[in-house]
Amino acid sequence: MSPVFDCRDDEQLLPGMRQARQAIGRGQLVVLPTDTVYGVAADAFSPVAVQRLLDAKGRGRQSPPPVLVAGAATLRALVAEVPEAVEKLIEAFWPGGLTIVLPAQPSLTWDLGETHGTVAVRMPADRIALELLEETGPLAVSSANLTGEAPAITALDARDMLGDSVAVYLDAGPSRDGISSTIVDATSLVGGETPVVRVLREGAVDRARLREVLGDLLEPDPGGTA
């Protein structure tokens, strides 16, 4: 059975992080804590690893995983352009529970699935996740659950669903709030005729907070009010 490392215990943290790095390097999957829910991670630049992630979740290529990064500098290397409004979102909500979809850098050689030339990127506010990202580089990360099931809020929840399809489980206790990240689509800010930021999924960051930063660039709220 795949090992579970209690990262609250210093004696387990170091070997757990080492095995997690090695697993990512071999194209295997790792479950890790984030500030939202637990995630299952793969090397974003390994098509085999990304497919392994999709298979573990029972998910098709039409649902490509987001990419977690250790900072805004990595985001800039992954996307074609970072508009001023997105810079404001990063300043306000990163690290944290906001995933931003932008056109991907065309020169990147990766295969996350049917992305239609975009990539969804987030910087998590979790020490263990950030330390691993610093070591591995960008990771394709999706919520650590089978498709159709509730996102895992503990490492053991994730293991119950994903089992030995994951090589290493990093346990940092229950997720702080158990709420998935908010996902916004900012692709139309890059060369779009009608620049607008759309909310694809409302989660940890609500629309009111987004509107404080974006103003009229945020799509109208459901019901037709701004």
Side-chain angles (χ1 to χ4, degrees), residues 53-98:
L53 185 158
L54 295 174
D55 291 344
K57 285 178 61 75
R59 191 170 180 175
R61 286 174 52 81
Q62 71 277 9
S63 300
V67 174
L68 294 191
V69 297
T74 308
L75 166 73
R76 295 185 182 95
L78 299 181
V79 303
E81 182 181 331
V82 182
E84 181 181 356
V86 172
E87 294 280 9
K88 292 179 180 178
L89 289 174
I90 291 169
E91 182 178 352
F93 301 116
W94 278 19
L98 181 66

Side-chain angles (χ1 to χ4, degrees), residues 107-170:
S107 64
L108 289 177
T109 54
W110 61 1
D111 182 5
L112 297 171
E114 296 176 12
T115 65
H116 306 288
T118 67
V119 61
V121 188
R122 183 168 88 87
M123 178 186 180
D126 181 90
R127 177 179 62 88
I128 291 169
L130 289 173
E131 285 184 11
L132 187 61
L133 288 162
E134 290 281 3
E135 295 280 350
T136 63
L139 293 174
V141 180
S142 186
S143 57
N145 58 281
L146 296 174
T147 297
E149 300 293 334
I153 60 171
T154 71
L156 295 182
D157 287 343
R159 189 175 67 169
D160 287 344
M161 287 185 274
L162 300 176
D164 288 339
S165 64
V166 171
V168 177
Y169 289 83
L170 300 179

Side-chain angles (χ1 to χ4, degrees), residues 1 8 23-24 31 36-37 61 67 77 82 88-89 120 125 151 188 192 208 218 223:
M1 182 171 289
R8 296 163 293 185
I24 293 295
V31 159
T36 54
V37 295
R61 286 174 52 81
V67 174
V82 182
K88 292 179 180 178
L89 289 174
S188 71
L218 184 66

